[in-house]
Amino acid sequence: MEQQQTETKMIAAYTGKALRDHFGKGPVNIHISFKRPFLIMYVKDFLGPMENILLQQNEEQRIAKSREFIMNEFCPRIQPDIEDMINGTIKEWYFDWNLKEHSGMIWAVMNEKPSKKIPWPGELSQKAFERKIVNLSIKGQKEPDYTKAYWIDERSIMIYRSGVFVEIEKELIHAGFEEQLKIAKRPMERRLFQEEHMEPILQRKISDVFTDWNFSADKGYMVLALEPEKKR
């Protein structure tokens, strides 16, 4: 446990500096959640001066597009150093932003299978939660071929879905409209998630919901940022 805390502190410090070098401003706070094969970086208070101006002018898509370009270069650049810290190989990177809240999530998936021993809190129903995820998927697209939720820690839940795209989406992906799909799907999935009323099942407050996909592999992830429980 002590070793992992040291790792997460190192990753947070390293990532904060790297984001500052690439964006000109780093996040005020980074929370790292790490449970192999998932590494999650939750960044808060992360918005540059020019981005703030664009946000005030309702230019969220311009900010998201510029960040997409930067992140596609940023993730491969930091990958070797992160791999040294976690002693493993990263297979994929994902990211998403909540620009209005000045927050974001960057997550990496390592080149290994999740352990079957990732525990879910005993007082909560993992199956009931996963059924809710399937329900929102059906409303938005179709029932996924596979759905699995992982309780990473008290601050984050990782949700994996594969076989999620309907035929029209596959055609749009084939035609190169991935960016447009992301623009349309992210707010839709957040809205559907809110309609499922997840907090009573989790017995936790949810502060943020982030989504991203691997379009070519027909799979995607949703990451929930949970508010830390107040100490009694």
Side-chain angles (χ1 to χ4, degrees):
M1 181 63 72
E2 185 176 339
Q3 181 181 351
Q4 183 161 334
Q5 288 178 346
T6 301
E7 287 175 346
T8 56
K9 286 180 181 179
M10 289 174 57
I11 293 168
Y14 173 84
T15 305
K17 182 180 183 304
L19 287 169
R20 186 164 55 251
D21 291 344
H22 278 73
F23 286 88
K25 179 186 183 300
V28 172
N29 180 267
I30 302 179
H31 177 80
I32 304 296
S33 298
F34 180 38
K35 189 165 288 182
R36 307 177 78 94
F38 304 115
L39 173 65
I40 300 170
M41 310 174 193
Y42 181 35
V43 300
K44 303 189 74 174
D45 296 318
F46 180 49
L47 194 72
M50 289 301 297
E51 291 180 327
N52 193 34
I53 293 171
L54 289 170
L55 188 62
Q56 292 174 9
Q57 297 174 347
N58 297 317
E59 294 283 358
E60 290 186 37
Q61 290 186 21
R62 287 182 62 184
I63 301 172
K65 191 171 183 178
S66 66
R67 284 193 176 191
E68 185 93 14
F69 283 122
I70 295 173
M71 291 301 295
N72 286 335
E73 189 247 344
F74 173 80
C75 292
R77 181 165 293 189
I78 69 169
Q79 181 166 323
D81 291 330
I82 296 292
E83 287 179 336
D84 285 343
M85 294 180 201
I86 62 176
N87 189 28
T89 302
I90 293 172
K91 180 174 64 174
E92 299 170 322
W93 288 93
Y94 297 87
F95 49 85
D96 188 18
W97 315 103
N98 183 343
L99 294 172
K100 290 182 179 178
E101 296 297 326
H102 301 186
S103 62
M105 192 78 83
I106 306 164
W107 63 99
V109 182
M110 299 170 66
N111 190 24
E112 54 190 70
K113 293 182 179 180
S115 169
K116 295 181 180 179
K117 296 181 180 179
I118 294 181
W120 193 269
E123 73 276 14
L124 306 180
S125 173
Q126 180 178 359
K127 289 185 177 179
F129 176 73
E130 289 175 345
R131 280 197 299 270
K132 288 278 192 179
I133 297 298
V134 170
N135 287 343
L136 78 84
S137 301
I138 291 171
K139 289 179 181 178
Q141 301 150 281
K142 70 180 194 68
E143 181 174 350
D145 294 342
Y146 181 77
T147 302
K148 184 71 174 178
Y150 301 93
W151 188 277
I152 306 302
D153 58 21
E154 290 297 317
R155 298 287 297 275
S156 56
I157 296 174
M158 176 74 73
I159 302 155
Y160 170 73
R161 291 173 292 173
S162 64
V164 293
F165 300 124
V166 296
E167 290 303 315
I168 185 62
E169 290 175 319
K170 292 178 182 179
E171 289 297 324
L172 289 169
I173 293 165
H174 182 70
F177 290 98
E178 294 184 3
E179 181 182 335
Q180 290 82 354
L181 265 180
K182 282 189 179 184
I183 291 171
K185 286 172 67 64
R186 277 176 167 150
M188 179 193 73
E189 292 229 327
R190 289 191 181 102
R191 174 178 56 81
L192 292 172
F193 184 88
Q194 294 298 326
E195 291 176 2
E196 289 298 320
H197 304 291
M198 301 289 192
E199 289 185 344
I201 290 179
L202 296 174
Q203 299 177 26
R204 306 288 195 284
K205 286 191 174 295
I206 300 167
S207 55
D208 261 323
V209 180
F210 300 95
T211 56
D212 200 6
W213 300 268
N214 181 328
F215 287 109
S216 61
D218 193 2
K219 65 182 182 180
Y221 291 90
M222 179 180 287
V223 187
L224 311 186
L226 307 177
E227 290 188 10
E229 289 189 290
K230 294 180 180 179
K231 294 182 180 179
R232 297 180 181 178

